[in-house]
């Protein structure tokens, strides 16, 4: 499985898409509906109407990569359906991709060190 690196930007389309769409159709949605550049190296995540399927579109510098996953006995945890896009951390995306509740993934609060030693 491809897992996003820590510096990868992840954008989630909040409205379900027609899952018959492939690379070019999802590029069109990314450009026209989300207003983003599908060739910037970010991951673009799309959901199905039934919420049990996910598609991820990534430009890797040489071509478009399209991942498709279907959960067999559950549904992905998605944000509320509405227009727009949600920015997600790579850790939140990894949880979403595994079928976990990504909303529970939060970074630990960092505290400033008291000394340099």
């Amino acid at each position: 499985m491809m897992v996003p690196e820590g510096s990868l930007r992840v954008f989630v389309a909040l409205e379900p898409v027609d899952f018959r769409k492939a690379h070019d159709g999802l590029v069109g949605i990314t450009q026209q509906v989300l207003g983003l550049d599908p060739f910037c190296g970010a991951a673009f995540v799309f959901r199905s109407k039934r919420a049990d399927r996910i598609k991820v579109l990534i430009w890797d510098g040489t071509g478009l990569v399209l991942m498709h996953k279907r959960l067999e006995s559950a549904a992905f945890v998605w944000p509320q359906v509405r227009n727009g896009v949600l920015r997600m951390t790579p850790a939140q995306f990894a949880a979403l991709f595994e079928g976990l509740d990504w909303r529970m993934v939060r970074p630990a609060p960092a505290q400033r060190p008291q000394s340099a030693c």
Side-chain angles (χ1 to χ4, degrees):
M1 177 186 99
M2 288 179 49
V3 192
E5 298 176 12
S7 62
L8 181 67
R9 293 174 298 146
V10 180
F11 298 97
V12 179
L14 296 176
E15 192 170 338
V17 299
D18 179 354
F19 255 48
R20 295 174 290 184
K21 292 190 183 298
H23 299 78
D24 295 332
L26 295 175
V27 163
I29 290 173
T30 302
Q31 290 173 324
Q32 296 168 3
V33 177
L34 304 180
L36 298 169
D37 177 12
F39 305 108
C40 68
F44 299 94
V45 182
F46 302 92
R47 64 166 286 178
S48 67
K49 198 175 205 179
R50 291 186 287 186
D52 64 340
R53 292 177 176 96
I54 186 174
K55 282 190 177 183
V56 182
L57 184 70
I58 303 173
W59 171 257
D60 72 354
T62 61
L64 284 168
V65 178
L66 181 61
M67 294 185 296
H68 182 176
K69 183 173 183 176
R70 178 184 69 209
L71 292 179
E72 295 299 328
S73 61
F76 290 101
V77 177
W78 291 102
Q80 182 180 5
V81 174
R82 61 180 190 265
N83 291 332
V85 65
L86 170 77
R87 180 94 187 253
M88 188 177 273
T89 68
Q92 289 171 325
F93 170 74
L96 171 71
F97 197 80
E98 291 298 322
L100 303 172
D101 188 347
W102 60 272
R103 298 169 298 184
M104 299 308 211
V105 177
R106 299 190 200 303
Q111 294 184 6
R112 182 182 170 120
Q114 298 298 320
S115 68
C117 299

